[in-house]
Amino acid sequence: MKLAIIPGDGIGKEVTAEAVKAITRVGEAFGRTFELEHLPWGADYFLETGITIPPDGYDTLRSFDAIFIGALGDPRTPENRHARDILLGTRFELDLYVNYRPVKLLDERLCPLKNRGPKDVDFVVFRENTEGLYVSIGGRFKAGTEDEVAIQEELNTFKGVNRIVRHAFEFAKAHGRTKVCMADKSNAMQQGHALWQRVFKQVSSEYPAIQATHYYIDALAMYMVLDPAQFEVIVTNNLFGDIVTDLGATFQGGLGMAASGNIHPGRTSMFEPVHGSAPKFAGKNVANPIGAIASAALMLETLGLTKEAAAIDAAILKAVRENQVTADIGGKLGTREAGDFIAKEIR
Ligand code: NAD
Ligand code: IPM
Ligand code: MN
């Protein structure tokens, strides 16, 4: 299998190295060869060459079986143009419409919510990943003056909403989940989110065995904290999904723990930890590599390598149970040492 590896910026580089270790180790353990090609795109490359992603970059990415990406974002490039082209650009150009973000607590010790354990925090968020407020349609008029007008439109299409909502129900059906909750802000956003309401009603009626519920996004955030056990599958738009998955990450022990996939079923997809480049930790060997390593497991699972993915997840669980982890979740190891422990336990 051919995998593209984009370490990116800041701690992205460090956690990607640990994800690569895990992939290499699982290959050895299961007698599989992964052909890894590292791509240098990121802030350094942009500052040196002026190129965010080369003109044939998206085609290059399409030629791989999957893409792994660390994180993008650098204080030297505050406009974030390279991240827009590389990360969001790939989501859009490869039409990776499913942002799959599992929220799964591995050990009670890691959860900041009172009296909550692994049985209470085990749901998945499906974030629409190709439209919404992220399409950057709009503009600034008289920018920088007191008359400035800034417009940013939210794009919602029937095709886009329908396919992510359907995906959520299909996932629930395939994984024995009994509930799907859709979150929008249709009380205030009466045009775009009326479409979400209509589609959700229509699609849910085709799945009578699955209980369909709805919360406004503000209430969803509140219920996630108050009673996370009620959730099995959540589906929401691009921006809301971004926000609630950082909240979900804290239930798992923090941003360093959360994994994600940007998926177009059946096509080249891209996997990455939920966290960013955390500039304050960059180069210090302190970042938690688990979110990245778990994202590598998601990648293998999506590629059909379920035993390999399970072996990585088991090694992560062992590291957490034995506290062979980084300081953010109570351990004493550095990024590399935590990654070494997990790699060694993969079998
Ligand atoms: P961030 O996720 O980088 O970090 C926020 C805080 O979370 C960190 O300061 C740290 O305390 C903690 N944290 C994050 N990852 C961790 C890890 N692996 N181990 C331990 N602690 C961890 O978010 P931010 O500070 O808002 O953004 C920094 C840069 O990253 C920005 O340029 C932003 O645009 C970018 N970003 C990129 C991605 C991505 O590439 N997918 C995602 C989010 C943010
Ligand atoms: C994420 C990130 C990105 C997003 C940023 C870096 C543009 O926060 O993947 O969650 O908002 O999608
Ligand atoms: Mn985010």
Side-chain angles (χ1 to χ4, degrees):
M1 283 194 172
K2 264 183 71 191
L3 306 174
I5 309 289
I6 308 173
D9 305 330
I11 64 165
K13 296 180 188 172
E14 296 164 73
V15 298
T16 298
E18 303 315 311
V20 164
K21 250 183 220 168
I23 294 167
T24 307
R25 173 68 202 124
V26 86
E28 288 162 10
F30 287 79
R32 236 172 231 295
T33 322
F34 296 108
E35 204 182 301
L36 307 183
E37 186 172 333
H38 281 69
L39 300 170
W41 309 334
D44 290 337
Y45 186 78
F46 175 52
L47 290 168
E48 274 161 35
T49 65
I51 297 168
T52 55
I53 178 166
D56 61 352
Y58 303 120
D59 280 336
T60 303
L61 292 177
R62 281 188 199 97
S63 73
F64 290 90
D65 291 297
I67 306 153
F68 183 91
I69 187 163
L72 293 163
D74 187 294
R76 295 168 301 167
T77 56
E79 284 179 5
N80 221 21
R81 240 189 70 207
H82 71 295
R84 203 179 155 80
D85 288 357
I86 301 166
L87 182 71
L88 302 184
T90 301
R91 290 177 185 166
F92 295 145
E93 294 294 324
L94 274 62
D95 200 28
L96 307 176
Y97 65 91
V98 177
N99 195 323
Y100 172 48
R101 295 189 158 183
V103 178
K104 191 170 162 56
L105 174 62
L106 298 181
D107 192 292
E108 184 164 351
R109 174 176 68 79
L110 302 186
C111 191
L113 302 173
K114 215 181 343 171
N115 302 325
R116 299 291 179 195
K119 67 172 189 344
D120 302 305
V121 180
D122 182 8
F123 58 92
V124 305
V125 177
F126 288 108
R127 163 187 178 190
E128 201 294 319
N129 213 28
T130 51
E131 44 188 58
L133 273 163
Y134 275 69
V135 296
S136 212
I137 291 175
R140 290 168 76 196
F141 181 52
K142 299 187 182 173
T145 74
E146 304 234 319
D147 295 321
E148 177 161 350
V149 179
I151 294 180
Q152 182 119 26
E153 299 283 1
E154 189 183 83
L155 183 80
N156 295 278
T157 69
F158 175 79
K159 175 186 165 185
V161 178
N162 186 53
R163 65 185 182 176
I164 191 68
V165 169
R166 264 180 205 286
H167 187 87
F169 278 94
E170 281 299 319
F171 176 92
K173 194 172 150 186
H175 293 83
R177 304 275 181 142
T178 61
K179 290 190 274 190
V180 174
C181 177
M182 189 273 275
D184 64 14
K185 189 68 190 170
S186 49
N187 49 353
M189 304 184 63
Q190 291 171 351
Q191 314 303 336
H193 294 194
L195 176 60
W196 280 80
Q197 286 288 322
R198 166 175 70 105
V199 170
F200 190 64
K201 237 178 226 124
Q202 187 179 322
V203 174
S204 60
S205 73
E206 296 171 30
Y207 296 84
I210 294 170
Q211 191 193 338
T213 59
H214 168 261
Y215 285 134
Y216 298 121
I217 189 66
D218 45 355
L220 177 84
M222 180 275 291
Y223 281 121
M224 274 175 63
V225 173
L226 199 64
D227 177 24
Q230 70 179 286
F231 297 108
E232 296 186 7
V233 176
I234 293 171
V235 60
T236 190
N237 70 28
N238 206 338
L239 181 65
F240 296 167
D242 177 48
I243 296 167
V244 298
T245 52
D246 265 33
L247 176 60
T250 67
F251 302 174
Q252 297 167 265
L255 270 171
M257 296 296 291
S260 82
N262 303 271
I263 299 170
H264 185 122
R267 293 198 199 161
T268 303
S269 295
M270 175 170 74
F271 297 81
E272 53 166 343
V274 171
H275 66 74
S277 56
K280 70 175 186 199
F281 286 170
K284 297 194 171 139
N285 195 39
V286 297
N288 185 346
I290 289 181
I293 297 171
S295 301
L298 273 189
M299 172 167 72
L300 300 185
E301 187 188 28
T302 308
L303 289 168
L305 307 181
T306 39
K307 287 202 294 284
E308 289 82 347
I312 296 178
D313 286 335
I316 291 173
L317 189 59
K318 185 149 200 266
V320 167
R321 294 222 169 114
E322 298 185 8
N323 210 26
Q324 299 296 314
V325 292
T326 47
D328 55 305
I329 54 168
K332 293 198 174 76
L333 301 185
T335 308
R336 284 188 293 275
E337 294 69 30
D340 284 342
F341 181 88
I342 292 169
K344 178 172 64 59
E345 291 298 329
I346 294 172
R347 52 178 71 108

